Amino acid sequence: SFISLILFMFFSFLRNAVLEGEANKVGCSLPAARKTGTTICGVVFKDGVVLGADTRATEGMVVADKNCSKIHYISPNIYCCGAGTAADTEMTTQIISSNLELHSLSTGRLPRVATANRMLKQMLFRYQGYIGAALVLGGVDCNGPHLYSIYPHGSTDKLPYVTMEVASLSSDWFLCSSCSGSGSLAAMAVFEDRYKPNMEEEEAKRLVRDAIAAGIFNDLGSGSNIDLCVITKGKVDYIRPHDEANKKGVRTGDYKYKRGTTGVLSKTVLDLEVVEETVQTMDTS
Amino acid sequence: MLNLFDTRGLRSQLKDSIPVAGLCPTGSYGLQDSMRSGFTSVKNELLPSHPLELSEKNYQPNKDKMNFSTLRNIQGLHAPLKLQMEYRAARQIQRLPFLQSSNLALDTLRGSDESIGFEDILNDPAQSEMMGEPHMMVEYKLGLL
């Protein structure tokens, strides 16, 4: 990468402020950034991590994308769900994914979730919350399954808490859950009710599916399908879509008249004769 | 000259970025470029236009200062001195003036050849649409102009 002769130029911030002032005088407003008003969540279960997300992207009050993918790839064993400004989550996860790949090539090892977490939080803190990306990062590495939630200003939560973390691979892994986004309250309610430590994979998938469905049906910013990503040691199951909660309805009636509605009195068929065929070249200069 | 313990306040940081208002405005033919920089006003040219502007402008120098200061405390004065000498040498390895240099030696010294940031993706100078006039630039550099 370059030495920082190249920086962000901030002059367009001034121009945007002037344009916004002018637009407000006329009564219009500037176009809104596309956000993923979202429900995303993650659960640590017995053998790994299940991440879930809805698939609606909104642009103000309009649905911009009915089936967008919110679970981003970071590394073969780490995936990240993103809420907030869609471009920010996309670019941030891609940059961290590239950096993590270079780092793992340099160390020669599978990357750790804590590394991805550290890189993300340092970058988000550097930009002081102006990058609107709220992320749920989950993965399985040599130390077991991990789940982090990362906020736009750069603070992170590791669930389970550090004091309860167990280094060995045996015995009980203290499991916990994390939600983020506008539909997160609905999803968190489902988690608080039905979460248990050491769940089986099917149970964890059902729990995440129900939590996302709660967000989809109770929050306007979330909708469409439910995507799941199950990460276990050595295997990743990216299920897209896991559940089509909002299928587009099928029309029950049709205004077109069926053939035969009008009675046919007589029928004459005329064959067209090809008399002449000419080719005219087009001027495509 | 080492700048390890040079504590710069906001005022001195601002001083670097003050152009004289109204003189040499950016834009073609020396006219103000209202599309890009809005209406010119003294306030706009004195104060930073974004809360992050100063922080980003000084990010790399601040990071370097912190690293050199730590290095000095751990290994002694010779370590940052030698490193800065190497940086200075590496910075002089450039191509001809109108060509974009890869700065490979400097990148390797800094360790930034193993990381990707916004400066690599956005506004890549190797892919800029404008190029300087080669003959003029070389003559200027050699002092013939």
Side-chain angles (χ1 to χ4, degrees):
Chain A
S1 71
F2 290 104
I3 50 175
S4 303
L5 298 172
I6 299 98
L7 308 165
F8 277 120
M9 305 300 284
F10 290 99
F11 51 72
S12 44
F13 195 68
L14 286 171
R15 175 207 65 183
N16 290 349
V18 171
L19 281 177
E20 192 168 354
E22 294 296 310
N24 283 338
K25 259 190 249 169
V26 187
C28 320
S29 64
L30 291 183
R34 181 184 295 197
K35 301 185 119 280
T36 55
T38 291
T39 311
I40 51 175
C41 65
V43 155
V44 177
F45 68 100
K46 196 166 81 164
D47 304 318
V49 167
V50 178
L51 298 172
D54 71 306
T55 58
R56 175 183 287 182
T58 55
E59 213 160 12
M61 284 288 120
V62 174
V63 173
D65 191 346
K66 288 194 283 263
N67 199 0
C68 74
S69 159
K70 297 186 192 177
I71 306 186
H72 308 285
Y73 166 89
I74 302 263
S75 82
N77 58 329
I78 303 174
Y79 278 74
C80 181
C81 310
T85 312
D88 286 345
T89 58
E90 188 72 38
M91 296 307 307
T92 307
T93 48
Q94 281 179 350
I95 287 183
I96 297 303
S97 168
S98 308
N99 279 327
L100 208 58
E101 174 72 19
L102 287 172
H103 187 261
S104 93
L105 283 170
S106 175
T107 57
R109 300 185 169 117
L110 202 62
R112 297 193 192 187
V113 190
T115 318
N117 177 52
R118 188 55 66 123
M119 287 180 177
L120 279 165
K121 82 193 300 185
Q122 283 179 349
M123 175 192 203
L124 291 175
F125 183 73
R126 173 179 169 180
Y127 291 102
Q128 291 290 298
Y130 282 95
I131 293 187
L135 309 164
V136 165
L137 177 76
V140 177
D141 57 22
C142 56
N143 286 340
H146 302 278
L147 188 65
Y148 291 89
S149 64
I150 304 164
Y151 297 91
H153 282 265
S155 63
T156 62
D157 283 320
K158 182 176 195 327
L159 308 143
Y161 302 109
V162 183
T163 53
M164 281 158 54
E165 189 179 28
V166 177
S168 67
L169 286 170
S170 62
S171 73
D172 32 10
W173 287 327
F174 297 93
L175 317 162
C176 207
S177 55
S178 158
C179 304
S180 192
S182 59
S184 67
L185 291 175
M188 188 53 104
V190 173
F191 274 167
E192 289 285 345
D193 183 34
R194 284 164 45 185
Y195 167 77
K196 294 191 308 294
N198 262 330
M199 282 184 286
E200 294 297 329
E201 178 175 333
E202 282 310 313
E203 204 183 335
K205 278 161 73 171
R206 252 196 319 269
L207 179 62
V208 170
R209 186 250 158 232
D210 289 341
I212 301 286
I216 286 177
F217 290 116
N218 294 303
D219 172 42
L220 290 177
S222 320
S224 303
N225 314 325
I226 299 169
D227 290 347
L228 278 194
C229 185
V230 184
I231 311 172
T232 47
K233 195 169 181 64
K235 188 169 84 95
V236 170
D237 224 351
Y238 194 112
I239 313 169
R240 176 175 156 79
H242 170 69
D243 192 351
E244 288 192 22
N246 293 14
K247 266 215 209 22
K248 195 166 176 183
V250 178
R251 272 182 223 264
T252 47
D254 196 11
Y255 281 110
K256 281 210 186 80
Y257 289 107
K258 278 195 281 295
R259 219 172 244 284
T261 314
T262 315
V264 176
L265 294 176
S266 66
K267 196 160 81 166
T268 334
V269 175
L270 288 171
D271 280 326
L272 287 174
E273 256 177 64
V274 178
V275 174
E276 196 195 338
E277 201 176 297
T278 54
V279 174
Q280 193 177 34
T281 49
M282 232 171 46
D283 184 18
T284 53
S285 58
Chain B
M1 217 38 233
L2 277 182
N3 291 327
L4 286 178
F5 299 110
D6 192 4
T7 50
R8 296 168 133 223
L10 184 67
R11 210 181 106 253
S12 51
Q13 283 176 341
L14 276 176
K15 242 189 336 183
D16 286 342
S17 58
I18 295 181
V20 180
L23 239 63
C24 310
T26 55
S28 34
Y29 307 108
L31 287 173
Q32 60 159 47
D33 196 352
S34 302
M35 183 68 188
R36 289 222 196 96
S37 37
F39 299 110
T40 51
S41 76
V42 180
K43 171 175 157 253
N44 286 347
E45 292 187 29
L46 283 177
L47 294 175
S49 50
H50 192 274
L52 278 184
E53 185 168 359
L54 282 178
S55 152
E56 278 297 300
K57 185 162 162 278
N58 297 323
Y59 184 76
Q60 192 59 37
N62 282 343
K63 208 162 87 139
D64 285 344
K65 256 185 246 171
M66 203 167 68
N67 289 337
F68 283 143
S69 157
T70 323
L71 202 55
R72 178 190 182 155
N73 289 333
I74 297 176
Q75 294 189 9
L77 187 58
H78 74 97
L81 273 177
K82 282 199 187 133
L83 264 182
Q84 286 197 318
M85 194 179 73
E86 285 177 22
Y87 280 7
R88 227 164 261 225
R91 211 171 291 146
Q92 291 175 358
I93 306 171
Q94 299 279 319
R95 284 209 184 127
L96 289 175
F98 54 92
L99 289 173
Q100 184 60 30
S101 165
S102 69
N103 289 320
L104 190 60
L106 198 53
D107 270 352
T108 314
L109 273 178
R110 277 181 206 268
S112 59
D113 59 340
E114 287 186 343
S115 73
I116 295 181
F118 286 118
E119 64 270 5
D120 298 308
I121 305 171
L122 304 169
N123 202 23
D124 191 3
Q127 296 176 2
S128 66
E129 301 112 14
M130 313 253 286
M131 192 177 82
E133 160 79 41
H135 294 288
M136 300 280 213
M137 291 174 85
V138 174
E139 283 175 16
Y140 179 77
K141 180 154 181 263
L142 292 175
L144 298 173
L145 199 63

